[in-house]
Amino acid sequence: MQVFSKDKIYNFMGKSNFFISFSIVLILSSYFFLYTKGLNYGIDFAGGTIVQVKYDKTAPIKQMRENITKDKAFENASITQFGSPQEVIIRFSTAENSTVKNDAGDKIKTLLKGTGDFQIRRVDIVGPKVGGELREKGMMALVMSIIVILIYVAFRFEWRFAVASVLALVHDVSIAMGAIALFQVDVNLDVLAALLTLMGYSLNDTIIVFDRIREGIGDTKETNLFNVINDAVSKTLSRTLLTSLTTFFVILTLYALGGEIISSFSFTLLVGIVVGTYSSVFVASPMLKWLGFDLQSYKAKEALKAKRKIEKEKARAMYEKGML
Amino acid sequence: MNKGGLNYRLVIFFIAIIFGVGFTMPTLLQTKGGAKIALGLDLQGGLHMLLGVKTDEAIKSKMKSIASSVKFYTDNNDIIINDLRVHNDLITFKLLDGDEEKNLDAMLKKIQGLQIKKEQLSYTLSLSAAEQVATKKFAVSQAVETIRNRIDQFGLSEPNVAKQGEDKILVELPGIKTIAEEQRARELIAKAAHLQLMAVDEKRADQAGSMSEDEARAYGDVIFPDATNPKQKYIVKSVPILDGSMLTDAKVGFSQMNQPVINFTLNSEGAKIFGDFTAKNVGNHLAIVLDNVVYSAPVIRERIGGGSGQISGGFSVKEAHDVAIALRSGALLAPVTLLEKRSVGPSLGADSIKASLISLITGFSLVVLFMIVYYGMAGIIADIALIINLFLVVAIMALFGATLTLPGMAGIVLTVGMAVDANVIINERIRELLRSGASVSKAIEKGYDNAMSAILDANITTLIAAVVLYAYGTGPIKGFAVTMSIGILASMLTAILGTHGIYQFLMPRIEKSKSLPFWFGIKRGK
């Protein structure tokens, strides 16, 4: 079976202006959502407490709310269904009055007495200091990985490839975060993990296209960068879509069957895979042109590199012969 | 090509298969021996806590015990001092007897890290900066040790207590099943178990109910409530006679009225101090103070030698048992606070395992099927690599004793999705070469060559992301990074080496059959 006809070269670059404008609109609206709706920080980053309760029957949310808000400390508690109608998440922002001996989970348990048969399944308490530290570390992880990737790609390709791939990454992460803000997904540690995975994944895609471009430059006498790019993107298209599709399958099953706990992770990745695939086909390569990538000078540089290598080998061979 | 030669790729792949399957078995079958993957707290249920150590309190209590030593020394050597006070990190007192200045100074010099300021005969003692740092450090490591001892006596299977950062302690207790159990564990951890034997201020004992804490402090006293009846207060001298650091043992016993009590034993120094004090204070009250609560304040009838004492009053057997554990394992020099707590009930963990297993199996089957439909035999070969890859990931994780967490499970699911990538790249390259008319053997060899740089670059960048994730991540994220890194490395072995070896092994057959649709899922175009 095959989907794409073998030799057809699609003219992606011809429409690059359209796609770039489309991306800019996407990014701007993402920042708009980020600005207006904001990120819905979960307790991992904001600090606070989550108590997950499971009832034998449908959870009596109304009665629970009455019981819990009796205590002044939990006035602002939010009580929401979690996955099934039996299961409920109680969330509040205070974590300060929790000690090792007594914590909010214990208090909630006493407050809920008389609302039916229930079981406390999970109590997560994150103090404000820890939350701040986690947020800092998370940002650090994002920034550090971008820098390291930048260096690696610049070393393996050329600085414009590095900048283009990082811009594509920023593009993907921005849009994924826009979607997170739009749908008010809880931003927890696993969402951060998803964002970092998405970076690795999208970079994967981009680099495979870049690799083809590099190969194309070496192989052909083509002088038009657009044609080289079109050729490379078309040739990698079936691989890009196939891998994205298989990964998409897997994440989709994770999203559909993995339960509520993993849903924000898989949601982020679902969006990420779509955006990442799109960007490696339509966004990353045109960026090369924008950054002033020039075929002739690149070829000249590569030729010089090759020449140096040959000279080095020659020198080495002579040296070794001299030793003999 | 190694025609007729040893197919080293296939050999390595076979070793990988044996290794992968072999080391996966203990985990799959849950046998007793062998390296297994441990389930994270989020999957098996349990308690995870990050505790902060209030290191400032350690300095305070160190100053208190220095003050006790000063008092003991001066009392014993008939040196008269006045107004001995402990303010947080300073000790002040006045020496009345100027002739003893030399003796006292010599004694103070023996105490390490002490800074002495004198204005005539007014002394101000404090700790040097280096000593403060050392004290704080010691308080944290002592807290780790103490909590570990207490937890060990609780009888859990694989508890973990470790220092984290400068002043934090990570406590992980898998196997805690009920909220009641959890609460008992937390109480035991939190118990300061700070035992002090203190002299009741007999002169002011009557005013205990009416005096404010500030007033008491002005007299060098403190007010503590009674354990059974908190309304009843005691006024005691703020400098203790001795404290729990001189304790060697604590055991639960029973009083004549069959009430649980705690019998404690002091070391030789403590026994001497205790004996001397009781000899001098017959007829006075001695308060036994545990965590700033007075448990009993008996009258001293005679000198108590031998260095043993008893704490009685209002314990249940379980409580007495826990207090004894806490005393035995030592006091917490500095109190701990709760910074983060995550507790997962066992049923939730089981649900999470079920859900992620279902999605792993479903996702995996979908990918496997898809590859066969799209690539034919080449797809099956890729699928074999995929399956072995999964075994390898589990085997390596088991060997490292890695912990599988929920994000880790997601990491495996994701690796499955990405592991096919290398094979897709290779297969696409092979197809490309076949279409352009290359022979099968040439297409395969060149296909691998051409695909290599892309696969390497792509995998290395993902690996870099995983390493950064590991370096800056915490807890579950680290688990995710570990599974992803292992998955990437394993997939390079199986997808690049393994499948290549299989192709080389099957080459004579592929060349004979000439059926490209069967082997690679394509027809050769014109």
Side-chain angles (χ1 to χ4, degrees):
Chain A
M1 195 176 123
Q2 51 186 323
V3 176
F4 296 98
S5 83
K6 48 197 165 68
D7 295 325
K8 178 139 177 134
I9 306 292
Y10 300 87
N11 184 13
F12 292 108
M13 294 304 287
K15 298 187 183 65
S16 67
N17 283 340
F18 166 77
F19 288 117
I20 295 274
S21 333
F22 179 60
S23 283
I24 289 173
V25 171
L26 275 182
I27 290 177
L28 287 182
S29 40
S30 290
Y31 284 118
F32 174 75
F33 289 130
L34 276 173
Y35 185 72
T36 51
K37 294 201 149 198
L39 285 178
N40 188 16
Y41 280 118
I43 64 158
D44 284 353
F45 296 120
T49 303
I50 277 185
V51 182
Q52 188 176 338
V53 185
K54 189 179 187 181
Y55 279 82
D56 284 359
K57 301 177 219 111
T58 305
I61 293 194
K62 212 179 141 198
Q63 205 190 335
M64 291 173 72
R65 187 164 291 135
E66 272 170 27
N67 279 22
I68 288 172
T69 45
K70 259 187 222 157
D71 191 320
K72 275 266 181 327
F74 305 130
E75 256 177 348
N76 297 320
S78 85
I79 302 173
T80 44
Q81 214 186 71
F82 190 71
S84 71
Q86 286 96 344
E87 218 147 336
V88 168
I89 283 262
I90 305 160
R91 177 187 324 216
F92 37 93
S93 53
T94 47
E96 293 101 73
N97 49 9
S98 287
T99 63
V100 182
K101 226 182 208 169
N102 295 301
D103 66 43
D106 307 333
K107 284 173 210 149
I108 291 288
K109 196 187 165 203
T110 22
L111 286 174
L112 283 183
K113 242 173 212 154
T115 53
D117 279 335
F118 66 87
Q119 194 190 352
I120 292 195
R121 303 239 280 173
R122 177 161 70 114
V123 180
D124 282 4
I125 298 170
V126 179
K129 205 174 133 207
V130 176
E133 260 170 41
L134 289 177
R135 203 165 45 209
E136 252 167 51
K137 271 194 162 181
M139 281 309 290
M140 195 70 182
L142 269 174
V143 173
M144 280 301 290
S145 51
I146 285 186
I147 292 174
V148 178
I149 286 166
L150 200 72
I151 295 170
Y152 180 77
V153 178
F155 170 72
R156 287 285 295 166
F157 293 82
E158 202 226 5
W159 70 267
R160 288 184 190 85
F161 284 89
V163 174
S165 57
V166 165
L167 284 179
L169 278 191
V170 173
H171 167 272
D172 299 345
V173 173
S174 304
I175 294 173
M177 293 204 359
I180 290 169
L182 178 64
F183 292 101
Q184 289 289 295
V185 175
D186 262 2
V187 181
N188 274 327
L189 279 171
D190 32 343
V191 168
L192 180 71
L195 283 176
L196 285 156
T197 313
L198 145 70
M199 286 176 40
Y201 176 84
S202 148
L203 197 70
N204 232 28
D205 266 13
T206 309
I207 282 187
I208 282 160
V209 177
F210 281 1
D211 185 75
R212 258 306 161 97
I213 294 177
R214 185 173 56 181
E215 195 180 316
I217 295 172
D219 285 356
T220 62
K221 295 227 155 57
E222 183 67 64
T223 49
N224 189 343
L225 179 65
F226 276 12
N227 293 340
V228 175
I229 293 177
N230 278 336
D231 191 53
V233 176
S234 303
K235 274 189 176 148
T236 48
L237 193 61
S238 72
R239 173 265 151 198
T240 306
L241 291 182
L242 274 182
T243 304
S244 301
L245 215 62
T246 50
T247 316
F248 193 80
F249 278 161
V250 178
I251 303 295
L252 194 65
T253 54
L254 200 62
Y255 183 67
L257 307 170
E260 204 58 37
I261 284 213
I262 204 101
S263 78
S264 45
F265 173 84
S266 33
F267 171 83
T268 310
L269 274 181
L270 274 186
V271 176
I273 287 171
V274 175
V275 179
T277 308
Y278 160 80
S279 81
S280 53
V281 174
F282 298 106
V283 181
S285 320
M287 216 93 86
L288 285 178
K289 181 77 186 172
W290 279 35
L291 290 166
F293 182 75
D294 179 61
L295 265 186
Q296 267 70 35
S297 59
Y298 180 78
K299 272 189 173 176
K301 241 188 251 164
E302 285 298 298
L304 199 69
K305 245 194 229 168
K307 207 173 132 196
R308 273 210 204 110
K309 205 177 162 194
I310 290 169
E311 272 169 7
K312 227 181 189 174
E313 266 161 24
K314 245 189 205 162
R316 196 196 181 101
M318 276 168 73
Y319 177 71
E320 273 167 5
K321 260 182 205 155
M323 289 296 284
L324 287 168
Chain B
M1 286 235 323
N2 43 356
K3 265 186 193 137
L6 183 70
N7 186 341
Y8 78 94
R9 292 186 177 91
L10 204 59
V11 172
I12 293 177
F13 189 52
F14 261 119
I15 295 171
I17 293 176
I18 293 164
F19 171 86
V21 176
F23 285 103
T24 302
M25 282 308 139
T27 303
L28 272 189
L29 305 175
Q30 286 298 311
T31 53
K32 280 225 167 109
K36 278 190 287 283
I37 293 185
L39 290 182
L41 287 175
D42 53 348
L43 292 180
Q44 66 164 311
L47 175 65
H48 158 114
M49 285 195 292
L50 189 63
L51 307 175
V53 183
K54 282 193 178 166
T55 48
D56 288 344
E57 297 287 331
I59 307 253
K60 274 191 215 170
S61 72
K62 171 138 194 170
M63 293 317 279
K64 252 192 194 167
S65 82
I66 289 178
S68 296
S69 310
V70 170
K71 180 157 174 36
F72 176 68
Y73 179 80
T74 51
D75 281 358
N76 259 13
N77 292 286
D78 291 324
I79 302 171
I80 304 168
I81 60 167
N82 198 359
D83 250 358
L84 176 65
R85 297 280 168 81
V86 185
H87 327 256
N88 295 336
D89 52 358
L90 292 177
I91 299 171
T92 56
F93 61 88
K94 283 194 188 96
L95 177 65
L96 296 184
D97 186 355
D99 295 345
E100 299 286 355
E101 199 179 337
K102 259 190 196 156
N103 278 342
L104 183 62
D105 286 358
M107 179 263 165
L108 289 177
K109 261 203 188 113
K110 277 188 205 150
I111 302 174
Q112 265 183 5
L114 200 61
Q115 281 184 330
I116 307 156
K117 259 191 217 151
K118 265 198 291 188
E119 246 173 74
Q120 285 159 349
L121 294 179
S122 289
Y123 283 72
T124 305
L125 310 180
S126 62
L127 289 180
S128 69
E131 187 64 21
Q132 288 198 15
V133 172
T135 307
K136 286 181 176 180
K137 232 182 188 169
F138 178 70
V140 178
S141 57
Q142 189 263 1
V144 170
E145 208 43 52
T146 304
I147 292 174
R148 191 176 290 148
N149 283 338
R150 291 179 186 180
I151 295 296
D152 279 348
Q153 304 200 28
F154 204 72
L156 289 168
S157 57
E158 281 169 351
N160 175 30
V161 181
K163 186 178 161 212
Q164 203 155 68
E166 286 208 335
D167 56 357
K168 296 193 194 76
I169 300 173
L170 177 73
V171 179
E172 282 182 316
L173 308 177
I176 288 235
K177 294 262 158 23
T178 61
I179 296 264
E181 250 177 54
E182 188 202 306
Q183 194 148 13
R184 195 173 157 213
R186 281 192 279 129
E187 269 173 21
L188 187 54
I189 291 171
K191 195 155 268 155
H194 191 213
L195 179 71
Q196 297 177 95
L197 302 180
M198 303 174 107
V200 172
D201 189 344
E202 305 287 347
K203 268 190 268 173
R204 301 183 184 83
D206 302 339
Q207 303 167 42
S210 56
M211 200 185 280
S212 76
E213 285 185 21
D214 284 333
E215 279 177 89
R217 202 171 301 139
Y219 294 118
D221 291 343
V222 273
I223 301 177
F224 289 133
D226 186 76
T228 39
N229 177 16
K231 279 195 185 128
Q232 194 189 334
K233 310 269 193 225
Y234 292 91
I235 292 192
V236 297
K237 295 273 185 200
S238 68
V239 177
I241 303 156
L242 49 79
D243 63 18
S245 62
M246 292 173 184
L247 202 94
T248 54
D249 196 15
K251 277 198 195 98
V252 178
F254 288 91
S255 69
Q256 285 154 337
M257 277 131 80
N258 216 22
Q259 285 283 318
V261 293
I262 297 152
N263 296 314
F264 60 83
T265 321
L266 298 165
N267 64 12
S268 58
E269 191 191 350
K272 186 176 181 321
I273 296 177
F274 196 42
D276 288 355
F277 175 81
T278 46
K280 277 185 198 161
N281 288 278
V282 172
N284 290 343
H285 288 81
L286 171 76
I288 297 172
V289 183
L290 183 64
D291 292 344
N292 296 344
V293 171
V294 177
Y295 276 80
S296 55
V299 177
I300 302 166
R301 299 192 194 287
E302 57 187 350
R303 174 177 187 277
I304 307 173
S308 61
Q310 191 175 72
I311 311 173
S312 60
F315 294 117
S316 72
V317 178
K318 217 177 197 177
E319 262 177 342
H321 191 74
D322 285 353
V323 170
I325 291 179
L327 282 175
R328 262 205 308 275
S329 55
L332 286 180
L333 289 182
V336 289
T337 55
L338 185 70
L339 298 179
E340 186 189 349
K341 172 192 146 185
R342 291 169 198 272
S343 67
V344 178
S347 69
L348 182 64
D351 282 4
S352 299
I353 295 183
K354 214 193 292 160
S356 39
L357 267 184
I358 291 174
S359 42
L360 180 64
I361 293 168
T362 323
F364 192 75
S365 326
L366 273 174
V367 171
V368 165
L369 268 177
F370 181 83
M371 289 297 280
I372 298 175
V373 171
Y374 199 85
Y375 285 119
M377 269 309 276
I380 292 179
I381 292 172
D383 286 339
I384 293 172
L386 209 57
I387 291 166
I388 299 307
N389 182 42
L390 212 55
F391 274 109
L392 273 182
V393 171
V394 177
I396 295 173
M397 284 185 70
L399 276 185
F400 277 119
T403 309
L404 186 64
T405 57
L406 195 59
M409 280 269 218
I412 295 182
V413 174
L414 194 70
T415 331
V416 170
M418 308 227 305
V420 279
D421 187 48
N423 283 115
V424 170
I425 295 176
I426 293 164
N427 284 347
E428 287 297 310
R429 288 285 189 157
I430 294 176
R431 278 185 169 186
E432 216 174 278
L433 287 156
L434 286 172
R435 281 197 213 99
S436 63
S439 73
V440 173
S441 63
K442 186 151 187 239
I444 288 175
E445 289 310 313
K446 245 196 134 221
Y448 275 90
D449 273 356
N450 289 347
M452 202 53 77
S453 78
I455 295 175
L456 280 184
D457 279 337
N459 281 322
I460 288 172
T461 38
T462 314
L463 207 57
I464 289 174
V467 169
V468 173
L469 213 55
Y470 184 80
Y472 289 94
T474 45
I477 302 246
K478 268 197 163 68
F480 175 76
V482 168
T483 37
M484 203 160 85
S485 315
I486 295 174
I488 291 167
L489 293 175
S491 86
M492 286 178 36
L493 179 72
T494 55
I496 301 171
L497 267 180
T499 56
H500 199 169
I502 296 177
Y503 279 123
Q504 286 177 336
F505 176 71
L506 294 175
M507 194 64 81
R509 242 176 266 190
I510 304 178
E511 279 179 326
K512 220 160 84 191
S513 88
K514 296 216 175 333
S515 166
L516 288 185
F518 173 73
W519 287 101
F520 297 101
I522 54 159
K523 289 189 187 105
R524 188 171 291 218
K526 48 175 168 96

Short mmCIF file of all heavy atoms in Angstrom, two decimals, chain A residues 146-177:
data_model
loop_
_atom_site.label_atom_id
_atom_site.label_comp_id
_atom_site.label_asym_id
_atom_site.label_seq_id
_atom_site.Cartn_x
_atom_site.Cartn_y
_atom_site.Cartn_z
N ILE A 146 16.10 24.16 24.66
CA ILE A 146 16.14 24.91 23.41
C ILE A 146 17.58 25.32 23.08
O ILE A 146 18.04 25.18 21.95
CB ILE A 146 15.23 26.17 23.50
CG1 ILE A 146 13.77 25.73 23.41
CG2 ILE A 146 15.56 27.16 22.40
CD1 ILE A 146 12.79 26.85 23.34
N ILE A 147 18.30 25.78 24.10
CA ILE A 147 19.69 26.22 23.86
C ILE A 147 20.56 25.05 23.38
O ILE A 147 21.30 25.17 22.39
CB ILE A 147 20.28 26.84 25.14
CG1 ILE A 147 19.58 28.15 25.45
CG2 ILE A 147 21.78 27.07 24.99
CD1 ILE A 147 19.97 28.78 26.77
N VAL A 148 20.43 23.92 24.08
CA VAL A 148 21.27 22.78 23.73
C VAL A 148 20.94 22.29 22.31
O VAL A 148 21.83 21.97 21.52
CB VAL A 148 21.09 21.64 24.75
CG1 VAL A 148 21.92 20.43 24.36
CG2 VAL A 148 21.50 22.11 26.13
N ILE A 149 19.65 22.27 21.99
CA ILE A 149 19.24 21.85 20.65
C ILE A 149 19.80 22.80 19.59
O ILE A 149 20.30 22.38 18.55
CB ILE A 149 17.70 21.78 20.58
CG1 ILE A 149 17.21 20.56 21.34
CG2 ILE A 149 17.23 21.75 19.14
CD1 ILE A 149 15.73 20.57 21.63
N LEU A 150 19.73 24.09 19.91
CA LEU A 150 20.26 25.12 19.01
C LEU A 150 21.73 24.84 18.68
O LEU A 150 22.15 24.86 17.53
CB LEU A 150 20.12 26.48 19.70
CG LEU A 150 20.16 27.73 18.84
CD1 LEU A 150 18.89 27.82 18.04
CD2 LEU A 150 20.30 28.96 19.72
N ILE A 151 22.49 24.56 19.74
CA ILE A 151 23.91 24.31 19.55
C ILE A 151 24.13 23.05 18.69
O ILE A 151 24.90 23.06 17.74
CB ILE A 151 24.62 24.15 20.92
CG1 ILE A 151 24.57 25.47 21.68
CG2 ILE A 151 26.07 23.71 20.72
CD1 ILE A 151 25.02 25.37 23.11
N TYR A 152 23.39 21.99 19.02
CA TYR A 152 23.59 20.74 18.30
C TYR A 152 23.27 20.90 16.81
O TYR A 152 24.05 20.47 15.95
CB TYR A 152 22.71 19.64 18.91
CG TYR A 152 22.87 18.32 18.19
CD1 TYR A 152 23.99 17.53 18.41
CD2 TYR A 152 21.92 17.89 17.26
CE1 TYR A 152 24.16 16.33 17.75
CE2 TYR A 152 22.08 16.69 16.59
CZ TYR A 152 23.21 15.92 16.84
OH TYR A 152 23.37 14.74 16.17
N VAL A 153 22.13 21.52 16.52
CA VAL A 153 21.72 21.66 15.11
C VAL A 153 22.69 22.57 14.36
O VAL A 153 23.07 22.30 13.22
CB VAL A 153 20.27 22.16 15.00
CG1 VAL A 153 19.89 22.35 13.55
CG2 VAL A 153 19.33 21.19 15.67
N ALA A 154 23.13 23.63 15.04
CA ALA A 154 24.08 24.54 14.40
C ALA A 154 25.37 23.80 14.06
O ALA A 154 25.98 24.02 13.02
CB ALA A 154 24.37 25.73 15.30
N PHE A 155 25.76 22.90 14.95
CA PHE A 155 26.99 22.14 14.74
C PHE A 155 26.83 21.13 13.61
O PHE A 155 27.70 20.97 12.77
CB PHE A 155 27.34 21.45 16.06
CG PHE A 155 28.45 20.45 15.96
CD1 PHE A 155 29.75 20.87 15.78
CD2 PHE A 155 28.18 19.09 16.02
CE1 PHE A 155 30.78 19.95 15.67
CE2 PHE A 155 29.21 18.17 15.92
CZ PHE A 155 30.51 18.61 15.73
N ARG A 156 25.67 20.49 13.56
CA ARG A 156 25.45 19.44 12.56
C ARG A 156 25.08 20.01 11.20
O ARG A 156 25.35 19.40 10.18
CB ARG A 156 24.34 18.48 13.02
CG ARG A 156 24.73 17.57 14.13
CD ARG A 156 25.63 16.45 13.64
NE ARG A 156 24.93 15.57 12.72
CZ ARG A 156 25.56 14.68 11.94
NH1 ARG A 156 26.87 14.57 12.00
NH2 ARG A 156 24.87 13.91 11.14
N PHE A 157 24.38 21.15 11.17
CA PHE A 157 23.94 21.72 9.90
C PHE A 157 24.62 23.06 9.67
O PHE A 157 25.77 23.13 9.28
CB PHE A 157 22.43 21.88 9.88
CG PHE A 157 21.69 20.56 9.88
CD1 PHE A 157 21.46 19.86 11.05
CD2 PHE A 157 21.20 20.02 8.69
CE1 PHE A 157 20.78 18.65 11.04
CE2 PHE A 157 20.52 18.82 8.67
CZ PHE A 157 20.32 18.14 9.85
N GLU A 158 23.90 24.10 10.00
CA GLU A 158 24.41 25.45 9.82
C GLU A 158 23.57 26.31 10.72
O GLU A 158 22.46 25.90 11.13
CB GLU A 158 24.21 25.86 8.35
CG GLU A 158 25.13 26.97 7.91
CD GLU A 158 24.40 28.04 7.14
OE1 GLU A 158 23.17 27.98 7.04
OE2 GLU A 158 25.07 28.96 6.68
N TRP A 159 24.02 27.50 11.08
CA TRP A 159 23.28 28.25 12.10
C TRP A 159 21.86 28.59 11.65
O TRP A 159 20.94 28.65 12.45
CB TRP A 159 24.04 29.50 12.54
CG TRP A 159 24.13 30.60 11.49
CD1 TRP A 159 25.13 30.79 10.59
CD2 TRP A 159 23.17 31.63 11.27
NE1 TRP A 159 24.87 31.86 9.79
CE2 TRP A 159 23.67 32.41 10.19
CE3 TRP A 159 21.96 31.98 11.84
CZ2 TRP A 159 22.97 33.50 9.68
CZ3 TRP A 159 21.27 33.08 11.34
CH2 TRP A 159 21.77 33.83 10.27
N ARG A 160 21.67 28.78 10.33
CA ARG A 160 20.31 29.14 9.90
C ARG A 160 19.34 27.98 10.11
O ARG A 160 18.18 28.18 10.44
CB ARG A 160 20.32 29.57 8.44
CG ARG A 160 20.95 30.93 8.24
CD ARG A 160 20.85 31.36 6.80
NE ARG A 160 21.66 32.54 6.56
CZ ARG A 160 22.96 32.50 6.29
NH1 ARG A 160 23.58 31.35 6.21
NH2 ARG A 160 23.64 33.61 6.08
N PHE A 161 19.85 26.77 9.92
CA PHE A 161 19.00 25.60 10.19
C PHE A 161 18.61 25.57 11.67
O PHE A 161 17.48 25.27 12.03
CB PHE A 161 19.75 24.31 9.84
CG PHE A 161 19.83 24.03 8.37
CD1 PHE A 161 20.87 24.53 7.61
CD2 PHE A 161 18.85 23.27 7.76
CE1 PHE A 161 20.94 24.28 6.25
CE2 PHE A 161 18.92 23.00 6.41
CZ PHE A 161 19.98 23.52 5.64
N ALA A 162 19.61 25.88 12.52
CA ALA A 162 19.35 25.87 13.95
C ALA A 162 18.29 26.90 14.32
O ALA A 162 17.33 26.61 15.02
CB ALA A 162 20.64 26.13 14.72
N VAL A 163 18.48 28.13 13.79
CA VAL A 163 17.53 29.18 14.12
C VAL A 163 16.14 28.81 13.58
O VAL A 163 15.13 28.96 14.27
CB VAL A 163 18.00 30.53 13.56
CG1 VAL A 163 16.94 31.60 13.77
CG2 VAL A 163 19.30 30.94 14.23
N ALA A 164 16.11 28.29 12.34
CA ALA A 164 14.81 27.94 11.75
C ALA A 164 14.13 26.86 12.58
O ALA A 164 12.92 26.92 12.83
CB ALA A 164 15.01 27.46 10.31
N SER A 165 14.91 25.85 13.02
CA SER A 165 14.26 24.77 13.77
C SER A 165 13.79 25.27 15.13
O SER A 165 12.72 24.87 15.61
CB SER A 165 15.18 23.56 13.91
OG SER A 165 16.38 23.93 14.52
N VAL A 166 14.56 26.17 15.75
CA VAL A 166 14.12 26.68 17.04
C VAL A 166 12.90 27.58 16.88
O VAL A 166 11.96 27.54 17.69
CB VAL A 166 15.28 27.42 17.76
CG1 VAL A 166 14.76 28.25 18.90
CG2 VAL A 166 16.29 26.41 18.28
N LEU A 167 12.87 28.39 15.79
CA LEU A 167 11.69 29.20 15.55
C LEU A 167 10.47 28.31 15.35
O LEU A 167 9.37 28.60 15.83
CB LEU A 167 11.89 30.11 14.34
CG LEU A 167 12.79 31.32 14.59
CD1 LEU A 167 12.95 32.14 13.31
CD2 LEU A 167 12.22 32.20 15.70
N ALA A 168 10.67 27.20 14.63
CA ALA A 168 9.56 26.27 14.43
C ALA A 168 9.11 25.70 15.78
O ALA A 168 7.91 25.52 16.02
CB ALA A 168 9.98 25.14 13.50
N LEU A 169 10.08 25.46 16.66
CA LEU A 169 9.75 24.97 18.00
C LEU A 169 8.93 25.98 18.78
O LEU A 169 7.92 25.64 19.40
CB LEU A 169 11.03 24.71 18.80
CG LEU A 169 11.75 23.41 18.58
CD1 LEU A 169 12.83 23.23 19.63
CD2 LEU A 169 10.76 22.26 18.69
N VAL A 170 9.39 27.24 18.73
CA VAL A 170 8.66 28.29 19.43
C VAL A 170 7.24 28.37 18.87
O VAL A 170 6.27 28.51 19.62
CB VAL A 170 9.40 29.64 19.28
CG1 VAL A 170 8.57 30.78 19.85
CG2 VAL A 170 10.75 29.57 19.97
N HIS A 171 7.13 28.26 17.57
CA HIS A 171 5.85 28.25 16.89
C HIS A 171 4.95 27.15 17.47
O HIS A 171 3.82 27.38 17.88
CB HIS A 171 6.12 28.04 15.40
CG HIS A 171 4.93 27.69 14.55
ND1 HIS A 171 4.53 26.40 14.36
CD2 HIS A 171 4.08 28.47 13.84
CE1 HIS A 171 3.47 26.39 13.56
NE2 HIS A 171 3.18 27.64 13.22
N ASP A 172 5.50 25.93 17.55
CA ASP A 172 4.70 24.79 18.02
C ASP A 172 4.30 24.94 19.48
O ASP A 172 3.15 24.72 19.85
CB ASP A 172 5.50 23.49 17.87
CG ASP A 172 5.84 23.22 16.41
OD1 ASP A 172 5.22 23.88 15.55
OD2 ASP A 172 6.69 22.37 16.15
N VAL A 173 5.30 25.32 20.30
CA VAL A 173 5.01 25.44 21.73
C VAL A 173 3.99 26.56 21.97
O VAL A 173 3.07 26.40 22.78
CB VAL A 173 6.31 25.68 22.53
CG1 VAL A 173 6.00 25.99 23.99
CG2 VAL A 173 7.20 24.46 22.46
N SER A 174 4.14 27.68 21.24
CA SER A 174 3.19 28.78 21.41
C SER A 174 1.77 28.33 21.12
O SER A 174 0.84 28.60 21.88
CB SER A 174 3.53 29.95 20.48
OG SER A 174 4.84 30.37 20.69
N ILE A 175 1.61 27.63 20.00
CA ILE A 175 0.26 27.24 19.60
C ILE A 175 -0.30 26.20 20.57
O ILE A 175 -1.47 26.26 20.97
CB ILE A 175 0.25 26.71 18.15
CG1 ILE A 175 0.59 27.88 17.21
CG2 ILE A 175 -1.10 26.12 17.78
CD1 ILE A 175 0.76 27.50 15.78
N ALA A 176 0.55 25.27 20.99
CA ALA A 176 0.09 24.27 21.96
C ALA A 176 -0.35 24.96 23.25
O ALA A 176 -1.38 24.64 23.83
CB ALA A 176 1.18 23.25 22.24
N MET A 177 0.44 25.98 23.68
CA MET A 177 0.07 26.68 24.91
C MET A 177 -1.20 27.49 24.70
O MET A 177 -2.01 27.63 25.63
CB MET A 177 1.22 27.56 25.38
CG MET A 177 2.35 26.68 25.81
SD MET A 177 3.59 27.18 26.97
CE MET A 177 3.40 28.74 27.53
#
